[in-house]
Amino acid sequence: MEISGSIKDTREMVKAWKAKGLKVALVPTMGYLHEGHKSLIDRARTENDKVVVSIFVNPMQFGPGEDLDSYPRDLDRDAAICEKGGVDLIFHPEVEEMYGPDFCAYVDMHTLPEKLCGASRPVHFRGVQTVVSKLFHIIPADRAYFGQKDAQQLAIIRRMVIDLDFDIEIIGCPIIREEDGLAKSSRNTYLSGEERKQAVILNQSLEEAMKAIDAGETDAGKVKDIITKTIESCPLAKIDYVEVVSFDTIQPVEKVEGPVLIAIAVYIGTTRLIDNRILNA
Ligand code: PAF
């Protein structure tokens, strides 16, 4: 396995594979890899000849006062996970390699990034769109793998690839959970013992919603009420948002029908966690 911090060398390596007719996968990450990332790597490994994992904590997608400085980083641990997972190349650039001194180009989008996480994190998706576009140019892969936990991110990237004609297939992969149902996330490491116990409320609230939907509930307002009441029963939880939207457009829907995303963001103490269910997609 190679580790490269250079855009030029990385691009050359990937182009050489492509010239031999090999299928190349990209798994974009910010590192501190967990079972969720591992499942993306495993799927990429089975569906392609070469697997590239990018590890880059992208400053552009963090707003002022967010956790850029404290975001967990451990390249040695990540490299060991990648090596074991059969990864061929880690792209791990410095910030200066990605954003030169006169950097001033951004990828902007309307509608999809405006609600849910975009409403509480105004610069976040512009940073994601820009860095993912750069990664797609640096690593001309055939397929890129993203987790469905960041469902809005997945919807945005799918749209961006269509609208800007990127020649890459976007694969969404299921959420990986802890035994008690908490979605795996690098940010789970911020939780204290008691917070970790109470964090299960995110998944439990979505389970309650799914029970109601399975029993025939289609009113999005009622589904949101069920989730809100469940979360409010938890002393350490504070809701950022509970939304039922179209998974294609990320606009609110009144009825739970067609491709629908039920998305929540909840503070457990000071840690903001997200979770979701995607229906009929
Ligand atoms: O999902 C993430 O880890 C990041 O948003 C991504 C896609 C790697 C872009 O920095």
Coordinates of all heavy atoms in Angstrom, one line a residue, residues 27-31 37 54 56-58 61-62 71 124-125 127-129 131-132 135 145-147 150 153 157, ligand 1:
V27 N -12.7 6.0 -1.9 CA -13.5 6.1 -0.6 C -13.0 7.4 0.0 O -11.9 7.4 0.7 CB -13.3 4.9 0.3 CG1 -14.1 5.0 1.6 CG2 -13.6 3.6 -0.4
P28 N -13.8 8.5 -0.1 CA -13.3 9.7 0.5 C -13.6 9.7 2.0 O -14.8 9.4 2.4 CB -14.2 10.8 -0.2 CG -14.9 10.1 -1.3 CD -15.0 8.7 -0.9
T29 N -12.7 10.1 2.9 CA -12.9 10.1 4.3 C -12.1 11.3 4.9 O -11.3 11.9 4.3 CB -12.4 8.8 5.0 OG1 -11.0 8.9 5.2 CG2 -12.7 7.6 4.2
M30 N -12.5 11.6 6.2 CA -11.7 12.5 7.0 C -10.9 11.8 8.0 O -10.4 12.3 9.0 CB -12.6 13.6 7.6 CG -13.3 14.4 6.6 SD -13.8 16.0 7.2 CE -14.8 15.6 8.5
G31 N -10.7 10.5 7.8 CA -9.9 9.7 8.7 C -10.6 9.3 10.0 O -11.8 9.4 10.1
H37 N -16.6 3.2 7.8 CA -15.6 3.4 6.7 C -15.2 2.0 6.2 O -15.0 1.8 5.0 CB -14.4 4.1 7.1 CG -14.7 5.5 7.6 ND1 -14.5 5.9 9.0 CD2 -15.1 6.7 7.0 CE1 -14.8 7.2 9.1 NE2 -15.2 7.7 7.9
S54 N -9.0 8.4 0.5 CA -8.5 9.7 0.8 C -8.8 10.0 2.3 O -9.8 9.7 2.8 CB -9.1 10.8 -0.1 OG -10.5 11.0 0.1
F56 N -8.4 13.3 4.6 CA -8.2 14.7 4.6 C -9.2 15.4 5.5 O -10.4 15.4 5.1 CB -8.2 15.3 3.2 CG -7.9 16.7 3.1 CD1 -6.7 17.3 3.6 CD2 -8.9 17.6 2.6 CE1 -6.5 18.7 3.5 CE2 -8.7 19.0 2.5 CZ -7.5 19.5 3.0
V57 N -8.8 16.0 6.6 CA -9.8 16.7 7.4 C -9.9 18.1 6.8 O -8.9 18.9 6.8 CB -9.3 16.8 8.9 CG1 -10.3 17.6 9.7 CG2 -9.1 15.4 9.5
N58 N -11.0 18.3 6.1 CA -11.1 19.4 5.2 C -11.6 20.7 5.9 O -12.7 20.8 6.2 CB -12.2 19.0 4.1 CG -12.6 20.2 3.2 OD1 -11.7 21.0 2.9 ND2 -13.8 20.2 2.8
Q61 N -15.0 22.7 5.2 CA -16.3 22.3 5.6 C -16.7 22.5 7.1 O -17.7 22.0 7.5 CB -16.6 20.9 5.1 CG -15.8 19.8 5.8 CD -16.0 18.4 5.1 OE1 -15.4 18.2 4.1 NE2 -16.8 17.5 5.8
F62 N -15.7 23.1 7.8 CA -16.0 23.4 9.2 C -16.3 24.9 9.3 O -15.5 25.7 8.8 CB -14.8 23.1 10.1 CG -14.5 21.6 10.2 CD1 -13.9 20.9 9.2 CD2 -14.9 20.9 11.4 CE1 -13.7 19.5 9.3 CE2 -14.6 19.5 11.5 CZ -14.0 18.8 10.5
Y71 N -11.0 17.6 15.9 CA -11.5 16.5 15.1 C -10.4 15.4 15.2 O -9.2 15.6 15.0 CB -11.7 16.8 13.6 CG -12.6 15.8 12.9 CD1 -13.9 15.8 13.0 CD2 -12.0 14.7 12.3 CE1 -14.7 14.9 12.4 CE2 -12.7 13.8 11.7 CZ -14.1 13.8 11.7 OH -14.8 12.8 11.1
H124 N -20.9 24.5 5.5 CA -20.5 23.0 5.5 C -20.5 22.4 4.1 O -19.5 21.9 3.6 CB -21.4 22.2 6.4 CG -21.1 20.8 6.4 ND1 -19.9 20.2 6.8 CD2 -21.9 19.7 6.0 CE1 -19.9 18.9 6.6 NE2 -21.1 18.6 6.2
F125 N -21.7 22.5 3.4 CA -21.8 21.8 2.1 C -21.0 22.4 1.0 O -20.5 21.7 0.1 CB -23.2 21.5 1.8 CG -23.9 20.5 2.6 CD1 -24.9 20.8 3.4 CD2 -23.4 19.2 2.6 CE1 -25.5 19.8 4.3 CE2 -23.9 18.2 3.4 CZ -25.0 18.5 4.3
G127 N -18.1 23.5 1.4 CA -16.8 22.9 1.6 C -16.7 21.5 1.1 O -15.7 21.0 0.5
V128 N -17.8 20.7 1.4 CA -17.9 19.3 1.0 C -17.9 19.3 -0.6 O -17.1 18.5 -1.2 CB -19.1 18.6 1.5 CG1 -19.3 17.2 0.9 CG2 -19.0 18.5 3.1
Q129 N -18.8 20.1 -1.2 CA -18.9 20.1 -2.7 C -17.5 20.4 -3.3 O -17.1 19.7 -4.3 CB -19.9 21.1 -3.1 CG -21.3 20.7 -2.7 CD -22.2 21.9 -2.4 OE1 -23.2 21.7 -1.6 NE2 -21.9 23.1 -2.8
V131 N -14.4 20.2 -2.0 CA -13.3 19.2 -1.8 C -13.6 17.9 -2.5 O -12.7 17.3 -3.1 CB -13.0 18.9 -0.2 CG1 -14.0 18.0 0.4 CG2 -11.6 18.4 0.0
V132 N -14.9 17.5 -2.6 CA -15.2 16.2 -3.3 C -14.9 16.4 -4.8 O -14.4 15.5 -5.4 CB -16.6 15.8 -3.0 CG1 -17.1 14.6 -3.9 CG2 -16.7 15.3 -1.5
L135 N -11.3 16.1 -5.2 CA -10.9 14.7 -5.1 C -11.2 13.9 -6.4 O -10.4 13.1 -6.9 CB -11.5 14.0 -3.9 CG -11.0 14.5 -2.5 CD1 -11.9 14.0 -1.4 CD2 -9.6 14.1 -2.3
Y145 N -17.5 5.8 -3.1 CA -18.4 5.1 -2.0 C -18.6 6.1 -0.9 O -17.6 6.6 -0.3 CB -17.7 3.8 -1.6 CG -17.7 2.8 -2.7 CD1 -16.7 2.9 -3.7 CD2 -18.6 1.8 -2.7 CE1 -16.7 2.0 -4.7 CE2 -18.6 0.8 -3.7 CZ -17.6 0.9 -4.7 OH -17.6 0.0 -5.8
F146 N -19.9 6.3 -0.5 CA -20.3 7.2 0.5 C -21.3 6.5 1.4 O -22.1 5.8 1.0 CB -20.9 8.5 0.0 CG -20.0 9.4 -0.8 CD1 -19.8 9.2 -2.2 CD2 -19.3 10.4 -0.2 CE1 -18.9 10.0 -2.9 CE2 -18.4 11.2 -0.9 CZ -18.2 11.0 -2.2
G147 N -21.2 6.8 2.7 CA -22.1 6.2 3.7 C -23.5 7.0 3.7 O -23.5 8.2 3.5
D150 N -24.6 10.1 6.2 CA -24.6 11.5 5.8 C -25.5 11.6 4.5 O -25.0 11.8 3.4 CB -23.2 12.0 5.4 CG -22.3 12.0 6.7 OD1 -22.7 12.7 7.6 OD2 -21.3 11.3 6.7
Q153 N -25.5 14.7 2.4 CA -24.3 14.8 1.6 C -24.4 13.9 0.4 O -24.0 14.3 -0.7 CB -23.1 14.4 2.5 CG -21.8 14.1 1.8 CD -20.7 13.9 2.8 OE1 -20.1 14.8 3.4 NE2 -20.2 12.7 3.0
I157 N -24.1 15.1 -3.4 CA -23.0 14.6 -4.3 C -23.6 13.9 -5.6 O -23.1 14.1 -6.7 CB -22.0 13.7 -3.6 CG1 -21.2 14.6 -2.6 CG2 -21.1 12.9 -4.5 CD1 -20.5 13.9 -1.6
Ligands
PAF1 O1 -18.1 12.4 4.9 C1 -17.0 12.9 5.0 O2 -16.1 12.3 5.7 C2 -16.5 14.2 4.4 O3 -17.6 15.1 4.3 C3 -15.9 14.0 3.0 C4 -17.0 13.4 2.0 C5 -14.7 13.0 3.1 C6 -15.5 15.3 2.4 O4 -14.5 15.9 3.2

